């Protein structure tokens, strides 16, 4: 062997030794049956196995119980031996039982003892979580854009509708003055007045969704606001529904329109009551959470959440993204306008927060209102 070849061999050996010392990733060598023959220093850092305790164990020891049961480890080894290469992205398990997201590269190698599989395992949990947060932020942004577009349309329609109602209402007032002595006409006018009043209420709800209502925010402590209205909330739920309250201690203040917040919570409690047909359990709880800031370009911030959850049937996943749209309702025709939740969403959004629907700890639906921490 020439001196050049000797130097190249020495360099390759030194490089291999340096690679084995790497702690940023675990490097394993498997036999054709998937038994672990050797590992580098990164095995302790990434997988939690110290010294030689991982040796002779099956590759499947690093897989979740479900993946191990279906033979995922053996299948991966077989593909690597057959095709020469195999790549995996999956949840693996450390020695202490903690799961982590892993990127796995497998390559077939040969030596005097026969074929082997070289495995490189890299912990990609942080990358995976970052990608997940980005996807969540994108979904929230798309949903907000759609609702914002609907809100602008609703805002324009509600203003026009309100102008028409004003003309009708004024005309009815004039007719009432001229026909005050005619009982039959007065009854007809009363019905018309009530219809105008109902239309005005619908207009206010549409304005709330379109963020066209006027809010009067005050610096407030959420627990104080809820406790002050707790008796009212219990009456709305009724005697056959148990209302449980769980208020987190030490929450920072928020800037919110107190009257609109009370109206929003009454709306949510009424929805829960109706969903359970008057029998069940409702939980009202508060938390301090870090979520993606609405319209914040993916940034995260601290919000006080106020959630109403129930033990009802819940809301199907395929329609959850539609429930905040105006006139969308799961109730029977005539039982609701479909503006309640859109009004709640509009109020939360106009307050600098958002509203999110999900599953309650009680198994039913849950709607959480998020308000940014003041200051």
């Amino acid at each position: 062997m020439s001196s050049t070849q000797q130097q190249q061999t020495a360099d390759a050996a030194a490089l291999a030794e340096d690679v084995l010392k790497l702690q940023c990733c675990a490097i394993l060598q498997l036999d054709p049956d998937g038994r672990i023959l050797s590992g580098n220093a990164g095995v302790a850092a990434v997988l939690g196995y110290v010294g030689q305790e991982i040796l002779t164990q099956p590759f499947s020891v690093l897989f979740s119980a479900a993946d191990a049961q279906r033979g995922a480890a053996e299948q991966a080894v077989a593909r690597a031996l057959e095709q020469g290469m195999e790549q995996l992205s999956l949840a693996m398990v450390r020695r202490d039982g903690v799961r982590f997201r892993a990127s796995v590269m497998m390559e077939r190698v040969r030596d005097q003892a026969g074929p082997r599989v070289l495995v490189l395992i890299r912990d990609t949990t942080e990358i995976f979580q970052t990608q997940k947060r980005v996807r969540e932020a994108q979904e929230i942004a798309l949903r907000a854009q759609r609702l914002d577009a609907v809100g602008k349309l609703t805002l324009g329609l509600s203003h026009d509708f309100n102008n028409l109602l004003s003309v009708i209402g004024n005309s009815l007032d004039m007719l009432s003055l001229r026909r005050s002595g005619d009982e039959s006409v007065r009854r007809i006018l009363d019905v018309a007045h009530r219809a105008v009043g109902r239309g005005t209420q619908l207009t206010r709800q549409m304005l709330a969704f379109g963020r066209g209502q006027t809010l009067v925010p005050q610096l407030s402590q959420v627990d104080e606001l809820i406790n002050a209205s707790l008796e009212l909330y219990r009456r709305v739920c009724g005697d056959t529904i148990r209302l449980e309250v769980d208020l987190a201690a030490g929450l920072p203040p928020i800037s919110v329109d107190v009257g609109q917040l009370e109206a929003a919570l009454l709306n949510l409690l009424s929805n829960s009551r109706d969903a359970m047909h008057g029998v069940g359990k409702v939980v009202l709880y508060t938390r301090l959470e870090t979520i993606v800031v609405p319209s914040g370009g993916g940034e995260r911030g601290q919000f006080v959440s106020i959630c109403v959850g129930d033990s009802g049937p819940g809301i199907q996943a395929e329609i959850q993204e539609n429930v905040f749209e105006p006139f969308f309702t799961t109730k029977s025709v005539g039982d609701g306008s479909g503006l309640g939740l859109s009004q709640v969403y509009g109020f939360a959004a106009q307050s600098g927060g958002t509203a999110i629907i999900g599953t309650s700890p009680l198994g039913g639906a849950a709607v959480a209102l998020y308000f940014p921490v003041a200051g």
Side-chain angles (χ1 to χ4, degrees):
M1 181 182 295
S2 67
S3 59
T4 301
Q5 290 175 325
Q6 289 177 344
Q7 183 61 45
Q8 290 175 342
T9 301
D11 291 343
L15 178 60
E17 185 176 350
D18 289 340
V19 168
L20 290 175
K21 292 179 181 178
L22 289 175
Q23 297 196 23
C24 61
C25 55
I27 301 176
L28 304 173
Q29 188 176 181
L30 313 179
D31 67 15
D33 295 326
R35 291 281 172 180
I36 299 173
L37 300 176
S38 63
N40 73 332
V43 169
V46 177
L47 304 177
Y49 288 87
V50 180
Q52 298 183 349
E53 60 184 354
I54 198 173
L55 301 186
T56 73
Q57 295 205 50
F59 186 39
S60 59
V61 74
L62 302 176
F63 285 60
S64 67
D67 287 342
Q69 187 173 7
R70 66 180 179 84
E74 292 79 5
Q75 294 169 19
V77 172
R79 286 193 297 269
L81 288 170
E82 180 182 349
Q83 302 172 11
M85 293 281 293
E86 175 67 359
Q87 297 184 31
L88 302 172
S89 178
L90 75 167
M92 301 193 86
V93 183
R94 304 185 206 276
R95 186 183 184 282
D96 58 7
V98 175
R99 294 164 66 98
F100 69 101
R101 196 73 189 182
S103 173
V104 182
M105 296 284 295
M106 305 175 68
E107 182 177 358
R108 181 187 63 213
V109 296
R110 289 184 179 275
D111 58 20
Q112 294 178 347
R116 298 283 187 271
V117 176
L118 193 65
V119 182
L120 186 148
I121 302 173
R122 189 161 56 96
D123 186 344
T124 58
T125 302
E126 186 173 345
I127 296 174
F128 180 79
Q129 293 296 338
T130 300
Q131 292 173 340
K132 183 180 178 182
R133 288 195 294 268
V134 170
R135 287 195 299 270
E136 290 174 349
Q138 290 172 339
E139 290 173 1
I140 291 173
L142 288 173
R143 191 180 306 123
Q145 288 174 3
R146 186 179 70 250
L147 290 174
D148 185 60
V150 176
K152 289 177 180 177
L153 175 62
T154 304
L155 186 60
L157 290 174
S158 60
H159 279 302
D160 292 341
F161 188 45
N162 195 50
N163 291 335
L164 293 173
L165 287 174
S166 296
V167 174
I168 295 172
N170 291 335
S171 300
L172 289 173
D173 289 338
M174 294 177 64
L175 284 173
S176 297
L177 293 174
R178 293 185 180 184
R179 300 282 185 173
S180 57
D182 191 325
E183 182 63 24
S184 61
V185 173
R186 188 184 63 79
R187 286 197 297 270
I188 294 173
L189 291 174
D190 286 344
V191 172
H193 271 298
R194 286 196 294 272
V196 170
R198 177 58 179 156
T200 302
Q201 176 63 25
L202 289 174
T203 302
R204 281 199 290 266
Q205 290 177 305
M206 292 166 67
L207 284 170
F209 174 76
R211 309 178 201 180
Q213 64 179 345
T214 301
L215 298 181
V216 185
Q218 303 175 33
L219 195 64
S220 307
Q221 293 290 153
V222 168
D223 55 345
E224 294 177 2
L225 297 181
I226 292 177
N227 283 324
S229 302
L230 194 53
E231 187 58 36
L232 175 60
Y233 298 153
R234 294 192 188 280
R235 286 203 300 270
V236 168
C237 290
D239 296 333
T240 56
I241 291 180
R242 179 181 174 186
L243 174 61
E244 295 183 352
V245 179
D246 179 14
L247 304 179
L251 290 178
I254 61 174
S255 182
V256 67
D257 186 308
V258 175
Q260 290 296 330
L261 175 60
E262 182 179 86
L265 292 178
L266 287 172
N267 193 316
L268 296 179
L269 290 167
S270 298
N271 281 349
S272 291
R273 178 199 62 206
D274 295 343
M276 296 183 294
H277 303 291
V279 179
K281 184 187 295 185
V282 174
V283 59
L284 170 60
Y285 58 93
T286 60
R287 297 289 185 269
L288 180 63
E289 299 185 43
T290 300
I291 66 168
V292 176
V293 178
S295 304
E299 296 180 5
R300 299 173 72 81
Q302 281 198 320
F303 287 73
V304 172
S305 68
I306 309 173
C307 185
V308 174
D310 59 57
S311 59
I315 298 178
Q316 298 173 350
E318 56 267 25
I319 64 172
Q320 284 189 5
E321 65 178 24
N322 303 116
V323 296
F324 292 125
E325 296 176 1
F327 307 112
F328 181 89
T329 180
T330 58
K331 296 180 180 179
S332 302
V333 176
D335 289 341
S337 65
L339 286 171
L341 285 178
S342 65
Q343 181 181 9
V344 169
Y345 175 85
F347 159 63
Q350 193 173 352
S351 302
T354 189
I356 297 176
I357 192 161
T359 302
S360 161
L362 302 175
V367 178
L369 306 180
Y370 290 87
F371 300 95
V373 170

